[in-house]
Amino acid sequence: MQPTIGRIVHYTLNDTDANLIQQRRTTDGTIANTTSEGQTYPATVVRTFGGEAANLQVHLDGPDTYWATSRTPGEGPGHWAWPARV
């Protein structure tokens, strides 16, 4: 199934993502929980490219978000996945 705009997926932070988020929070004074590689957050698909790659707005555990660009589905850090059905 291909991503479509507005769908919610789960995105797992990679080390670069986590470091960029922490640097930005330090710079702008955002108070929030620490991020690290391997943490998974809900994300909204904001743009697709006709395949499985998508730009995501990641909803962090705090008052901010993170823009993850051109991410593909898969397992592990740096990838998004469909939420499990329960």
Side-chain angles (χ1 to χ4, degrees):
M1 184 165 46
Q2 292 186 353
T4 55
I5 294 173
R7 295 290 303 269
I8 301 294
V9 296
H10 288 175
Y11 179 70
T12 303
L13 298 179
N14 62 31
D15 190 54
T16 300
D17 298 329
N19 288 330
L20 287 172
I21 293 164
Q22 289 306 118
Q23 287 174 358
R24 185 189 67 214
R25 286 175 169 178
T26 299
T27 301
D28 68 15
T30 299
I31 298 171
N33 290 321
T34 303
T35 56
S36 61
E37 181 178 32
Q39 292 178 327
T40 300
Y41 294 97
T44 303
V45 175
V46 295
R47 183 166 184 189
T48 60
F49 302 98
E52 294 183 322
N55 287 353
L56 309 171
Q57 194 71 341
V58 183
H59 307 281
L60 302 169
D61 187 9
D64 54 344
T65 60
Y66 176 68
W67 186 41
T69 59
S70 300
R71 304 307 163 100
T72 56
E75 294 183 25
H79 296 284
W80 63 266
W82 295 110
R85 290 186 176 227
V86 293

